[in-house]
Amino acid sequence: MKHLLPILPVILGFLLDCAVGDPYNIPHPIRYIGRLISTLENIVRKRMKNLRLGGALLALTVVIISTAVPLAVLLVCYRVHLILGVAVEAILCCYMLATKCLCNESMKVCYAAEKGDTEAARKAVSMIVGRDTEVLDRDGIIRAAVETVAENTSDGVTAPLFYMGIGGAVGAFFYKSVNTMDSMIGYKDEKYADIGRFTAKLDDVLNYIPSRLTALLMIASAPIFGLDGRNAYRIWKRDRRNHASPNSAQTESACAGALHLRLAGDAWYFGKLHKKQYIGNDDRAIEADDIRLANKLMYGASALMLIISAIARFFIFGGFI
């Protein structure tokens, strides 16, 4: 039984996230990491002329603090009592996952679109995408929601699970600290090109294996939900590099193939048009229900990644218990 202890926090954390998600009225560790990033960004901009060096120091500081704090908390909790340590680590794992939150927020778009309320769907999708939503029609709104579910399956669920398999909750905090920095300062525009360069590269490295593994897990889970796994694999092989990021198109292409949809393409950000390649084939018209299908793929891939994470954690740490 003791050999299963390293696995329990990861499994319990995932199940807790699926059941409860992130309560909006409870402080979230990611918010504190975000505040730390903002504070350090202001300090770097005021006190350092070399923003590339400052950005690297910022990233290293955020990673060290973001992993040291949960590590210290868990060391104390496990020293007090084994059950307390498992319980606290499970809660920390839950915090690092966004399974139910991603599903709930995307399904708000689905429900509004199914009711024919385009403005409500537009408002809902604006909460989960970074692009300008006022220029989107109904199909564009639905497509944006599907793309967000496909891309964030890795960033929000499977990649944290991957790093939990290596380092438990601390491993997930390590990953999410970098991923959060990338979402805040990892842009290529004039403001962030220098200060966010190190973070963007580090995020690409950390997501390289999880994004590709997640795409394969989405392909593997597609037939379970009556979707086209063979086409998912074909489109993934063809279009997995159709994005400026080396990782973002991995899961989007698998999802597009499974659903027989065309995703991506040009998008507006802050009033500026960004030219992008298409992902997938325009085999049929997109429907609101495609958001529901994308979420099924997300849950399928997440469940498979949980199994992989649990097995990895057992073999890495089971022998030490």
Side-chain angles (χ1 to χ4, degrees):
M1 181 64 181
K2 287 185 177 181
H3 292 285
L4 298 178
L5 286 175
I7 300 174
L8 283 178
V10 177
I11 295 176
L12 292 175
F14 177 77
L15 294 177
L16 186 61
D17 178 61
C18 289
V20 179
D22 295 329
Y24 294 106
N25 57 344
I26 297 179
H28 198 291
I30 296 298
R31 295 178 187 173
Y32 294 110
I33 293 175
R35 291 176 186 174
L36 175 63
I37 295 167
S38 296
T39 300
L40 292 177
E41 181 188 351
N42 290 333
I43 293 174
V44 168
R45 289 188 183 279
K46 289 179 181 179
R47 299 188 180 183
M48 297 191 69
K49 292 183 179 180
N50 189 334
L51 291 183
R52 287 195 178 183
L53 176 60
L57 293 174
L58 182 159
L60 293 175
T61 302
V62 170
V63 167
I64 291 171
I65 294 175
S66 298
T67 54
V69 171
L71 177 61
V73 169
L74 289 175
L75 286 175
V76 171
C77 290
Y78 275 109
R79 185 174 292 272
V80 172
H81 199 284
L82 191 60
I83 294 178
L84 176 63
V86 170
V88 172
E89 187 168 12
I91 292 172
L92 293 179
C93 286
C94 174
Y95 270 127
M96 293 300 101
L97 299 170
T99 322
K100 185 169 185 178
C101 181
L102 179 58
C103 180
N104 285 350
E105 294 303 313
S106 61
M107 286 306 295
K108 290 178 182 178
V109 183
C110 178
Y111 296 142
E114 287 177 335
K115 293 178 181 177
D117 192 341
T118 301
E119 289 310 309
R122 189 190 314 279
K123 182 178 180 180
V125 82
S126 71
M127 304 302 293
I128 57 175
V129 301
R131 71 189 67 181
D132 299 343
T133 57
E134 63 272 12
V135 299
L136 299 177
D137 58 12
R138 178 182 178 277
D139 287 356
I141 291 169
I142 296 171
R143 185 172 291 105
V146 171
E147 291 170 10
T148 296
V149 172
E151 182 175 352
N152 285 288
T153 293
S154 183
D155 289 356
V157 188
T158 56
L161 280 172
F162 177 86
Y163 285 100
M164 282 178 201
I166 299 172
V170 176
F173 267 81
F174 165 74
Y175 168 76
K176 287 302 292 184
S177 67
V178 175
N179 190 244
T180 303
M181 278 190 288
D182 183 63
S183 68
M184 293 179 65
I185 64 172
Y187 299 103
K188 295 182 179 180
D189 58 18
E190 184 177 351
K191 181 178 180 181
Y192 293 106
D194 289 329
I195 197 170
R197 181 180 177 85
F198 182 85
T199 291
K201 295 296 183 183
L202 182 58
D203 186 71
D204 286 344
V205 171
L206 292 183
N207 279 298
Y208 189 88
I209 294 176
S211 64
R212 286 154 179 77
L213 180 55
T214 301
L216 292 174
L217 295 180
M218 292 176 79
I219 294 167
S221 62
I224 299 173
F225 306 108
L227 301 174
D228 194 339
R230 181 174 296 181
N231 193 59
Y233 179 76
R234 184 175 68 84
I235 297 299
W236 172 70
K237 288 283 289 183
R238 190 192 72 185
D239 295 347
R240 57 184 171 168
R241 296 183 180 88
N242 287 5
H243 199 285
S245 164
N247 302 316
S248 294
Q250 300 290 329
T251 50
E252 279 192 51
S253 57
C255 181
L259 273 60
H260 282 270
L261 294 175
R262 188 174 71 176
L263 302 177
D266 298 348
W268 289 83
Y269 294 88
F270 305 105
K272 184 177 179 180
L273 178 64
H274 289 251
K275 306 294 288 185
K276 296 184 178 183
Q277 297 184 72
Y278 285 113
I279 296 173
N281 295 332
D282 195 15
D283 294 335
R284 62 178 180 82
I286 195 166
E287 302 172 359
D289 189 56
D290 289 317
I291 301 174
R292 190 175 285 108
L293 295 176
N295 276 302
K296 288 182 178 181
L297 278 179
M298 182 264 290
Y299 273 106
S302 301
L304 292 176
M305 184 67 86
L306 175 65
I307 294 172
I308 293 173
S309 178
I311 293 172
R313 193 148 176 78
F314 175 80
F315 281 105
I316 293 173
F317 295 100
F320 295 98
I321 301 299

